[in-house]
Amino acid sequence: MSTFVKLIFSSDFFYSILRVTTPLLFASMGAVLSDVAGVPNIALEGIMLIAAFAGMYFSYLFNSALMGLLFAVLIAAAMAGVLAFFTLYYKTNIILGGIAINSLASGGTIFFLYLVAHDKGTSVALPSKVLPNVTIPFIQDIPVIGPIISGHNVLTYLAILAVIFTYFLLKRTSLGYHIRAVGEKKEAADSVGISVIRTQTIALVLSGVMCGFGGAFMSMGYVSWFSRDMVSGRGWIALAAEAMGMQGAIGTAATSFLFGIADALSNVVATLGWPSDLVKTIPYVATLAGLAIFSVRAYRRNRNA
Amino acid sequence: MSRERSFNIIRTLVSMLAAILVAFVIIFFVSDQPVESIKVFLVSPFSSVRYLGNIVETAVPLIFSGLAMAVMFKANLFNLGGEGVFFIAGVAGSFVAIWPQLPPVVMPLVCIVVGALAGMLVMLVPGALKAKYGANEMVTSLMMNNILLGVGLYLLNNVMREPSSASLVSYKYRNNALLSKIIPGTRIHSGFLIALVCAVLVYLFMYKSKWGYEIRMTGDNAKYAAYSGINVAKVIVIVHLVAGAIAGMGGIIECIGMHKRFEWTALPGYGFDGAMIAMLAGNNPIGVIGASLFVSYLRIGADLVNRASDVPTEMIAILQSIIILLISAERFLHKYKQNWIEKGAKK
């Protein structure tokens, strides 16, 4: 037990919380943006997976991490655009559209992985690039805190900016007002001249951009390769975080950190020789429990109100 | 038949055709000898009894997961937990198939019942959370999938694992537990008959029983159903139990029908297939049989192309998502629909 405590109260552990929460932050901001606009994007999982693949492949192709990131974001935005096109113009049910994108991502990435790397498991054979880590001057020298918040992948800092961006976009900009109005009551928004389809398309594409960064982090930061289904439920965990954060950027970010802690915990426990099959389920159990507790409380609140 | 309904059938057929055309395009770009590969893709699945048998045996688990999803969709529930249920029901049923000594016929039946019970138990978690507290069943069921995979693998690794085997597989099933082959020259097993019976039963349940009526009413408009005195929470729980039982049966039947030991080490992927098949079938239980056979025809075709040239079988995933997108697109071919219905009205 003492080794466990020692592992938890180390700056390494707190550093790893930030690291594993990064993709959750991006994805959950994508969930916030789309859900507030009234078009819940459940394809976060798949779009991140596609972005992870694109980041790996294009960074290898152009021999440049930046190009990888650029293509990851562009392709993720395009996938969200496809979803928007089908749901908003062809009136596909947004949930079914999301299922389609997820199934496309899960099999499609393996398809292309085999074409480019002749492997259906990982892309280790392809020398792809990773995005750099950033050490923050001065802060890195502060004892205890320095090693926790300095030296992260550049996308980790971007993820925190993404939360701030989402917060201000929704609260302070006219686009944010439009997005909220459309999500609240689209007929009313329409009657005052807000284009519902245009606003929802923008929200979905923005959520795709978020997934693009999140996916790029998976294959170009978290690890340095692509492997099949490597997003492993993070898109869904983000949806749960968004539900528990009550659609707000800050609350959702806070819940994402809770799930990030569970994830980091499972990584620590795994080193202690606990049964790995069960340890791997910790983040999902935490999410399920969190969602259950949240729903029970929301139910009680509604009943008392 | 109304023109609206026949139009839906036409749209489904167009979606299937579009999927096949996309397959042509993929093969054309990827394969070394595209014309030959396309011929293999389209014709070869019908070229021998063995391949025809492959189509049928591949369709069996698809029928079960399609039925489970059709019931869910009919109630307007988006639970994607079929994946995890298939897996854990396979594990639970395998315990019976490995250890107790039971007479033939009884033994596979006990396995199937245990699998179905495991499925019902597992589905009860998202079902109860949804019915009582309104928790989003899609997210909870997907979390359950990952949890069940972990628990199942733990049991496989620590209890069922055959120590002498290099790969991660369970002990062998007892011979009594295996489902019998029903057509010589193929591996088609009696699970196919169970699947057909199941489809008919689900049809009767959904369209001829009081519960089925309540499920359909709830799916059409939950508020109206509640207003007219239907207990929506009860309906949600029933739907989850039924879907869990069907998917659970599918899981263990696939195990004792096709394998001699438990050998899944990842989620088998049938949950998501079920969603697409239910949509192809328009959520009609009888239609699920046809939709499953069509999808497994595509799979066997893709499999044969994969063997003949270098096109990965995962091509299927691309076709499947196109089918889902097109079928669920209400406005797809909308202009033609309008004309077609107007013409019918003018007559």
Side-chain angles (χ1 to χ4, degrees):
Chain A
M1 205 62 205
S2 67
T3 43
F4 180 70
V5 171
K6 222 186 279 169
L7 280 170
I8 297 290
F9 288 98
S10 65
S11 37
D12 281 356
F13 179 68
F14 285 95
Y15 177 91
S16 76
I17 292 176
L18 274 170
R19 191 172 94 99
V20 297
T21 309
T22 301
L24 292 179
L25 281 180
F26 280 121
S28 62
M29 289 308 115
V32 169
L33 285 167
S34 60
D35 201 22
V36 169
V39 275
N41 179 2
I42 68 148
L44 303 167
E45 174 87 7
I47 297 179
M48 276 209 282
L49 189 62
I50 291 172
F53 180 84
M56 176 282 295
Y57 180 65
F58 287 99
S59 74
Y60 149 78
L61 201 65
F62 291 105
N63 206 11
S64 144
L66 197 62
M67 289 304 274
L69 179 64
L70 185 70
F71 272 91
V73 172
L74 280 180
I75 289 173
M79 288 314 295
V82 170
L83 183 64
F85 176 77
F86 270 94
T87 51
L88 302 176
Y89 295 90
Y90 267 167
K91 305 289 174 208
T92 296
N93 176 320
I94 181 98
I95 304 291
L96 298 178
I99 293 176
I101 302 274
N102 286 328
S103 120
L104 174 72
S106 157
T109 48
I110 301 174
F111 178 83
F112 285 108
L113 180 62
Y114 184 77
L115 290 189
V116 299
H118 279 271
D119 190 323
K120 287 188 179 180
T122 71
S123 72
V124 179
L126 297 180
S128 60
K129 297 276 178 251
V130 291
L131 290 156
N133 286 356
V134 180
T135 44
I136 314 172
F138 304 117
I139 288 184
Q140 60 162 323
D141 300 326
I142 306 172
V144 187
I145 299 178
I148 295 175
I149 53 178
S150 177
H152 281 282
N153 190 281
V154 58
L155 286 183
T156 302
Y157 302 110
L158 204 62
I160 291 162
L161 289 181
V163 176
I164 299 168
F165 167 82
T166 308
Y167 178 81
F168 276 101
L169 178 77
L170 290 177
K171 293 276 178 194
R172 292 274 186 275
T173 66
S174 63
L175 176 62
Y177 278 115
H178 287 185
I179 289 177
R180 287 187 319 184
V182 165
E184 194 75 39
K185 188 88 193 156
K186 61 179 177 192
E187 292 80 5
D190 191 44
S191 73
V192 294
I194 301 173
S195 165
V196 174
I197 289 190
R198 204 177 71 107
T199 311
Q200 290 185 329
T201 306
I202 293 173
L204 274 176
V205 170
L206 277 177
S207 89
V209 169
M210 293 287 175
C211 294
F213 285 112
F217 177 77
M218 291 309 297
S219 65
M220 305 168 70
Y222 193 74
V223 293
S224 56
W225 59 84
F226 175 88
S227 63
R228 64 188 296 169
D229 290 322
M230 73 184 307
V231 178
S232 56
R234 287 180 176 81
W236 302 108
I237 293 177
L239 283 181
E242 188 261 353
M244 291 166 63
M246 317 269 263
Q247 298 195 334
I250 305 297
T252 301
T255 350
S256 301
F257 267 101
L258 272 183
F259 296 144
I261 292 171
D263 200 352
L265 211 56
S266 76
N267 288 341
V268 167
V269 172
T271 61
L272 296 179
W274 294 16
S276 69
D277 294 322
L278 295 181
V279 164
K280 276 186 203 142
T281 67
I282 290 177
Y284 310 111
V285 173
T287 308
L288 182 66
L291 203 61
I293 294 168
F294 165 78
S295 306
V296 171
R297 289 188 52 184
Y299 170 78
R300 295 230 168 102
R301 210 170 27 238
N302 283 341
R303 208 178 42 177
N304 293 339
Chain B
M1 197 187 287
S2 76
R3 285 218 159 192
E4 174 122 32
R5 264 189 78 188
S6 40
F7 180 80
N8 279 340
I9 293 174
I10 292 173
R11 198 173 59 182
T12 305
L13 291 176
V14 172
S15 307
M16 289 156 92
L17 207 66
I20 292 179
L21 285 178
V22 170
F24 287 178
V25 174
I26 294 174
I27 292 173
F28 190 79
F29 278 106
V30 176
S31 175
D32 318 327
Q33 64 275 64
V35 180
E36 189 57 30
S37 293
I38 286 174
K39 229 176 83 190
V40 170
F41 178 68
L42 281 185
V43 183
S44 291
F46 297 122
S47 65
S48 79
V49 177
R50 210 181 91 218
Y51 293 154
L52 281 172
N54 285 342
I55 294 181
V56 175
E57 73 213 20
T58 309
V60 172
L62 298 178
I63 294 176
F64 283 104
S65 75
L67 287 173
M69 283 312 289
V71 175
M72 286 283 181
F73 281 162
K74 256 309 193 211
N76 209 16
L77 292 169
F78 294 95
N79 178 317
L80 296 173
E83 256 339 62
V85 171
F86 256 76
F87 189 81
I88 205 72
V91 171
S94 295
F95 274 99
V96 184
I98 293 170
W99 277 291
Q101 178 70 278
L102 296 167
V105 184
V106 176
M107 187 146 180
L109 285 180
V110 174
C111 290
I112 293 170
V113 169
V114 168
L117 286 176
M120 291 164 86
L121 200 67
V122 163
M123 275 293 194
L124 208 51
V125 176
L129 283 174
K130 169 78 174 182
K132 184 112 189 14
Y133 303 115
N136 183 331
E137 75 281 8
M138 186 155 55
V139 177
T140 51
S141 64
L142 283 155
M143 293 300 116
M144 289 293 289
N145 284 348
N146 288 303
I147 297 169
L148 293 173
L149 174 67
V151 172
L153 283 180
Y154 175 77
L155 292 174
L156 175 59
N157 258 319
N158 293 285
V159 189
M160 288 201 294
R161 177 162 193 181
E162 165 105 77
S164 60
S165 168
S167 52
L168 178 54
V169 292
S170 79
Y171 291 108
K172 272 200 170 151
Y173 297 149
R174 289 185 186 276
N175 276 335
N176 276 353
L178 303 179
L179 292 173
S180 49
K181 304 279 176 272
I182 51 174
I183 298 176
T186 71
R187 293 166 69 205
I188 301 177
H189 51 85
S190 46
F192 179 57
L193 301 178
I194 303 177
L196 296 182
V197 172
C198 227
V200 175
L201 288 179
V202 172
Y203 175 81
L204 293 175
F205 173 73
M206 290 302 286
Y207 291 94
K208 306 288 173 201
S209 81
K210 181 165 162 277
W211 280 2
Y213 177 75
E214 292 187 355
I215 291 172
R216 285 182 291 131
M217 288 302 290
T218 306
D220 285 345
N221 189 338
K223 280 196 184 125
Y224 177 77
Y227 186 70
S228 61
I230 291 173
N231 183 345
V232 173
K234 190 187 85 180
V235 167
I236 293 174
V237 171
I238 291 174
V239 167
H240 277 84
L241 289 177
V242 170
I246 299 171
M249 284 166 65
I252 184 60
I253 284 176
E254 179 68 4
C255 287
I256 57 177
M258 297 295 287
H259 307 293
K260 293 199 161 36
R261 45 174 94 218
F262 187 81
E263 43 191 57
W264 284 333
T265 52
L267 292 175
Y270 292 120
F272 290 100
D273 298 341
M276 181 223 9
I277 284 163
M279 287 169 66
L280 257 180
N283 296 333
N284 182 315
I286 306 299
V288 163
I289 301 171
S292 302
L293 287 169
F294 171 70
V295 171
S296 71
Y297 158 67
L298 289 184
R299 292 223 167 145
I300 301 303
D303 205 31
L304 293 172
V305 171
N306 183 39
R307 269 185 248 166
S309 69
D310 213 19
V311 185
T313 9
E314 278 74 13
M315 167 175 92
I316 287 298
I318 300 172
L319 310 189
Q320 289 189 350
S321 47
I322 285 167
I323 293 180
I324 297 181
L325 280 177
L326 290 184
I327 288 191
S328 59
E330 267 172 43
R331 306 282 292 197
F332 174 55
L333 302 179
H334 181 73
K335 245 167 66 190
Y336 302 96
K337 177 180 176 180
Q338 237 18 48
N339 290 341
W340 165 263
I341 292 175
E342 273 167 23
K343 243 191 239 163
K346 274 179 197 150
K347 265 183 194 166

